[in-house]
Amino acid sequence: DSGVTQTPKHLITATGQRVTLRCSPRSGDLSVYWYQQSLDQGLQFLIQYYNGEERAKGNILERFSAQQFPDLHSELNLSSLELGDSALYFCASSPSPRPYEQYFGPGTRLTVT
Amino acid sequence: GQQLNQSPQSMFIQEGEDVSMNCTSSSIFNTWLWYKQDPGEGPVLLIALYKAGELTSNGRLTAQFGITRKDSFLNISASIPSDVGIYFCAGLLDTGRRALTFGSGTRLQVQP
């Protein structure tokens, strides 16, 4: 158990819909990262937040957005969903002194039908 | 896009054998990390490397940060069935980019 929690574990929705994925980082970690992993693919970095502010952006679509709240939990919002958005979405957090030792949550499996 | 070449893509070995996998790039990296992912689970951090030439062990796992800073390898000694999974390398580019770049993974299967 990495200490990072994600909800829900599974999500099935229809094209065109909007969903929100939630992540709580490890206690004390200020950085949160979001990744997308499609079937049998590597991890694609989407976005990073540090202490409530956006810190780095990867290949995140305009239909996707994220935020980090004062209690440090983060939400990833996916809108106008397409079939190709079906994937595992992982959240990771890292301790401030070593921001690149990232600890991953169990993921949310999104299925768009 | 991917800037890390991870090989081999997959391996099928017998229990007890040693395993070696590596990541290479044309770019210079400041940090190398190795993760293991079990099916349907999140990646678990195995080893982190921060200096060129650094050799670090974690139980039966040993990883090295290449001298050129463009590669890293992971060795697993005396493999056991629970070593099965996908191993990912990840690196931090020496460009100031604050996000990790992940390799495409090595799928390891161990025959008891």
Side-chain angles (χ1 to χ4, degrees):
Chain A
D1 184 354
S2 67
V4 178
T5 61
Q6 288 186 250
T7 56
K9 190 154 179 65
H10 301 278
L11 197 50
I12 301 175
T13 189
T15 54
Q17 295 298 304
R18 173 190 168 95
V19 296
T20 297
L21 313 183
R22 183 188 168 103
C23 167
S24 292
R26 296 186 327 159
S27 176
D29 286 358
L30 298 180
S31 278
V32 169
Y33 308 77
W34 285 98
Y35 291 87
Q36 180 191 59
Q37 185 178 41
S38 301
L39 188 63
D40 287 338
Q41 296 291 313
L43 290 142
Q44 297 296 320
F45 168 68
L46 296 178
I47 198 165
Q48 178 203 357
Y49 278 81
Y50 176 79
N51 203 19
E53 294 190 0
E54 183 184 304
R55 189 56 89 87
K57 223 169 187 177
N59 300 321
I60 188 167
L61 300 172
E62 285 192 9
R63 300 183 286 110
F64 296 0
S65 65
Q67 54 184 327
Q68 186 179 27
F69 295 87
D71 66 353
L72 300 178
H73 90 271
S74 178
E75 292 181 355
L76 179 67
N77 300 298
L78 315 176
S79 61
S80 302
L81 286 167
E82 302 174 359
L83 295 177
D85 296 328
S86 296
L88 272 167
Y89 291 85
F90 288 105
C91 165
S93 72
S94 66
S96 298
R98 288 193 183 272
Y100 305 110
E101 287 182 14
Q102 296 180 24
Y103 296 86
F104 283 77
T108 293
R109 180 174 293 281
L110 174 66
T111 303
V112 183
T113 62
Chain B
Q2 291 286 2
Q3 300 183 53
L4 285 179
N5 299 309
Q6 187 170 349
S7 65
Q9 280 190 321
S10 63
M11 304 180 74
F12 190 99
I13 62 170
Q14 297 291 319
E15 183 176 359
E17 289 184 4
D18 296 344
V19 172
S20 185
M21 59 191 78
N22 68 81
C23 269
T24 61
S25 175
S26 57
S27 303
I28 291 175
F29 284 80
N30 282 333
T31 299
W32 286 98
L33 306 171
W34 284 92
Y35 286 88
K36 181 192 177 202
Q37 185 177 25
D38 291 329
E41 303 290 328
V44 174
L45 180 62
L46 300 173
I47 292 178
L49 302 159
Y50 292 94
K51 297 179 187 175
E54 182 179 353
L55 184 71
T56 297
S57 293
N58 178 6
R60 293 178 296 104
L61 278 60
T62 301
Q64 185 160 27
F65 193 140
I67 289 291
T68 65
R69 296 168 64 193
K70 294 182 179 181
D71 62 345
S72 177
F73 72 75
L74 174 71
N75 287 340
I76 305 173
S77 62
S79 59
I80 58 178
S82 62
D83 290 334
V84 165
I86 302 177
Y87 291 80
F88 289 99
C89 63
L92 182 66
L93 285 164
D94 185 27
T95 58
R97 184 169 183 256
R98 294 174 174 272
L100 291 175
T101 300
F102 277 80
S104 54
T106 294
R107 183 180 297 273
L108 178 65
Q109 293 178 282
V110 179
Q111 177 71 39

